[in-house]
Amino acid sequence: MGPKTARVDQTIREWIASGKLSPGDKLPSERTLVAELDIGRTALRQVLARLVTEAVLEVRGRSSYTVTDRSSAGAVASVSTPGELEPWQIHGERTVYDNPWVKLALVDVEPPGVERFEHHVVRLQHVAIAAVVDDADRVLMLWRYRFVPDRWGWELPGGIVDAGEDALHTALREVEEETGWRPDSLEHVVTYQPMVGMVDSPHEIFVGQGAQHVGDPTDAEEAGHVEWVPLAAIPALMARDELMGSGTLVALLHLLASRKQDAATAAL
């Protein structure tokens, strides 16, 4: 957030804190705010989008904003798109370094209201990761050494999606190769980018219930100590900083949140 957008963000928050704008009040129109706050419309919309994300404001329709009324029963942050924001313009790209594992490029970009510049972008591989849970509520994991951070830790099985391969097939294959267990089934949960500002590396997360032991791990390079780890132990492992990799964290947090939600629903 630049100096001008930070100033406008703070001004709107002060209007709300001081009572100039009360819960449920509608903000002035974008045209009025642009003139009163001396800011471009695109930059203003970026500020408003941030305030909506933090539930300070709610968006109504295409570009009408109101102050969130937190006292209203069931009040939640809006999840609708906060108006039409301008994307960055991409004018070209040149490769600095390229091999089968990693590509470094300089991309000629132009953010709204900002002069063009070259942005470093690292393009890595497409990855699939799987969390398999058994009937005892344990998750299949690997205790492995990673030389880059020079440490040991727990990981979920997963790996690179080969050219022409479906990510689900990759997840099934990697679990069996790395652990010797064949999942009964896997279901896609989410696809995300672990470092979205500079690195392009889609990570697909799958979860499944049940697996059959088919033999020893066949991927000697990737295999580690295989263990069925109780889900109840995951928060302690996290606190001890023993979980490695964003895919492992995303998948395990999903499982823990799902268990909590299921328990809450059952209690109703």
Side-chain angles (χ1 to χ4, degrees), residues 132-135 181-185 208-212 228:
V132 182
V133 181
D134 68 3
D135 292 338
W181 289 80
R182 179 176 299 160
D184 294 340
S185 64
Q209 186 78 32
Q212 306 302 315
W228 286 93

Side-chain angles (χ1 to χ4, degrees), residues 213-237:
H213 189 254
V214 295
D216 294 330
T218 58
D219 191 337
E221 180 183 348
E222 295 291 336
H225 171 71
V226 180
E227 186 78 41
W228 286 93
V229 178
L231 274 174
I234 296 302
L237 296 179

Side-chain angles (χ1 to χ4, degrees), residues 124-129 158-161 167 170 191 201-206:
L124 303 178
Q125 298 286 349
H126 182 187
V127 175
I129 297 163
I160 293 172
V161 179
T170 300
T191 301
S201 177
H203 281 45
E204 298 201 42
I205 303 298
F206 296 85

Side-chain angles (χ1 to χ4, degrees), residues 247-267:
T248 292
L249 287 166
V250 169
L252 293 177
L253 288 172
H254 167 78
L255 288 174
L256 293 175
S258 298
R259 294 298 188 276
K260 185 175 181 180
Q261 184 176 26
D262 291 344
T265 300

Side-chain angles (χ1 to χ4, degrees), residues 25-44:
D25 283 354
K26 183 179 178 180
L27 263 67
S29 67
E30 287 186 356
R31 179 176 297 181
T32 300
L33 290 173
V34 164
E36 184 174 350
L37 298 174
D38 187 28
I39 188 172
R41 178 162 293 186
T42 297
L44 172 66

